[in-house]
Amino acid sequence: MKIAKRLGAVAATTAALVGFVGTVPAAAAADSVHRGSTTCFNWSWGDGTVTWTVYAHNTCGSTKGLDWTTSTGAEACMWVAGGAKEHHVYPDEPKNNTWHDVSSCPPGTGD
């Protein structure tokens, strides 16, 4: 009898949790944070609708650029001092798997 009560309580708790998770708005469920790293950077950015903020931490001792391609095919670059953290807002969504360290940011790409 005790096992049946426990199983009933577990089933009720599971049903309640499933019902709670099912009530998350679709927009909130779609939001996510993208993270990655290169030789000198740990970076992240969140899904946006109008602008996208890129966060970067330069873990190397010297100033470097973090370069990536956007959803429009444009190149973007953030210049960050060694050991420093920066964040910048960009008008185009970053593309995953296009991130790399550079010794200087190309003209017209950001910093």
Side-chain angles (χ1 to χ4, degrees):
M1 186 66 160
K2 289 183 182 180
I3 292 174
K5 285 184 180 179
R6 287 184 184 164
L7 288 176
V10 169
T13 302
T14 302
L17 288 174
V18 169
F20 175 74
V21 171
T23 62
V24 175
D31 289 347
S32 64
V33 175
H34 307 268
R35 300 178 193 279
S37 62
T38 62
T39 302
C40 285
F41 286 96
N42 294 320
W43 53 264
S44 66
W45 61 275
D47 290 339
T49 54
V50 178
T51 61
W52 289 263
T53 303
V54 174
Y55 298 87
H57 176 205
N58 182 348
T59 59
C60 288
S62 60
T63 301
K64 298 275 185 188
L66 177 62
D67 190 81
W68 67 93
T69 304
T70 70
S71 59
T72 62
E75 186 176 8
C77 189
M78 181 187 301
W79 193 244
V80 184
K85 296 179 181 179
E86 294 277 343
H87 66 277
H88 296 267
V89 177
Y90 294 90
D92 298 316
E93 180 179 13
K95 286 175 64 176
N96 284 329
N97 303 320
T98 63
W99 303 78
H100 57 278
D101 301 349
V102 292
S103 57
S104 63
C105 287
T109 61
D111 293 330

